[in-house]
Amino acid sequence: MYDITYNGSTGIEKGIRVVERPNVPDPKLRATEIEIPGRDGSLIESDDTYENIEISVKLNYMAEKELWMQSYRTIKKWLLSKGSGELIFSDDPDYFYKVKHVTVGENARTSTRIGVITPTFLCDPFNYLVSGKYEYGIPQVLHNPYYLSHPVYKITGEGVCEINVNGKSMTANVGQNLTIDTELMLTYREDGTMMNTAVAGDYMDLYLQEGENEITVTEGFEVKAIPNWRCL
């Protein structure tokens, strides 16, 4: 049976069913069209970034008429409680969408017991691999068969560590542990303490390019990477 999973819970677990498979739009490249007098056509200028996408999923649920509104409130709490999360479709279980915002929309009562809602999930333009959420040793992330990715680096050791990725580097003053998150462009310790001043360099220089990558780390430090593999 076709289903969705949002923030770790399936629709079936919440007592709802997917009415029909959703249409997933292609992300749009952010681009500016430039007209030049005397030139046929136009030029396209882009920074190679993409716009968010919206995915609407039609759902229905059934409840005893005296519990109908309570069922609706339970479903709405599931969809809105975190405001963001991960959306997975049962026919593509190895990938997920990063949800930034959810709107539930109208709650249509088609009978005394049946309700229909069509929540809209505002998502990051990319489709992420579930396997890209795990920690790997550096040799395991050197080959990136997907799109440009924004990894998280977890460093263990003491002193100044330099991470060099494809000829570009960032230095970090590490005290036992340090996490460099290139997606959020933040640096912090395992206990959540912000440590942005402990690093020098550009977070974008640590991105994993599509294809083969070269990564070196200062001797004496252990570095793990969460690659955040993603596709368009």
Side-chain angles (χ1 to χ4, degrees), residues 31-45:
T32 302
E33 187 176 8
I34 303 172
E35 301 284 350
I36 299 178
R39 179 189 176 105
D40 294 326
S42 61
L43 298 178
I44 301 297
E45 186 177 87

Side-chain angles (χ1 to χ4, degrees), residues 11 16 45-46 51 57 90 95 100 104-105 122 137 146 158 171 173 179 185-186 197 200 209-210 230:
I16 65 175
E45 186 177 87
S46 173
E51 298 178 3
V57 186
S90 61
Y95 292 80
K100 300 181 176 182
V104 173
L122 179 67
Y146 308 104
E158 285 286 344
T171 57
N173 191 357
T179 298
M185 295 191 174
L186 294 174
T197 57
Q209 302 294 323
E210 183 176 350
R230 60 185 190 166

Side-chain angles (χ1 to χ4, degrees), residues 49-115:
T49 61
Y50 291 82
E51 298 178 3
N52 291 329
I53 61 173
E54 290 187 347
I55 304 174
S56 296
V57 186
K58 190 174 183 179
L59 310 170
N60 66 10
Y61 63 97
M62 179 181 292
E64 296 298 330
K65 59 182 180 181
E66 62 272 14
L67 298 175
W68 189 83
M69 282 302 299
Q70 183 57 47
S71 295
Y72 170 60
R73 284 189 286 267
T74 299
I75 295 167
K76 188 164 58 172
K77 181 180 179 182
W78 168 53
L79 294 171
L80 300 179
S81 59
K82 290 190 176 181
S84 62
E86 297 177 359
L87 176 66
I88 299 174
F89 298 113
S90 61
D91 59 353
D92 196 22
D94 296 328
Y95 292 80
F96 68 93
Y97 291 92
K98 288 186 177 180
V99 179
K100 300 181 176 182
H101 181 66
V102 183
T103 53
V104 173
E106 181 183 61
N107 181 26
R109 191 165 190 167
T110 59
S111 74
T112 57
R113 297 184 61 198
I114 298 176

Side-chain angles (χ1 to χ4, degrees), residues 12-36:
I12 291 174
E13 290 171 342
K14 296 297 181 179
I16 65 175
R17 297 290 187 272
V18 179
V19 176
E20 56 191 17
R21 285 174 169 79
N23 296 319
V24 179
D26 281 336
K28 293 182 180 179
L29 180 70
R30 290 193 180 101
T32 302
E33 187 176 8
I34 303 172
E35 301 284 350
I36 299 178

Side-chain angles (χ1 to χ4, degrees), residues 170-188:
M170 174 176 275
T171 57
N173 191 357
V174 184
Q176 295 185 337
N177 67 80
L178 203 66
T179 298
I180 299 175
D181 190 326
T182 68
E183 173 71 20
L184 299 178
M185 295 191 174
L186 294 174
T187 300
Y188 47 87

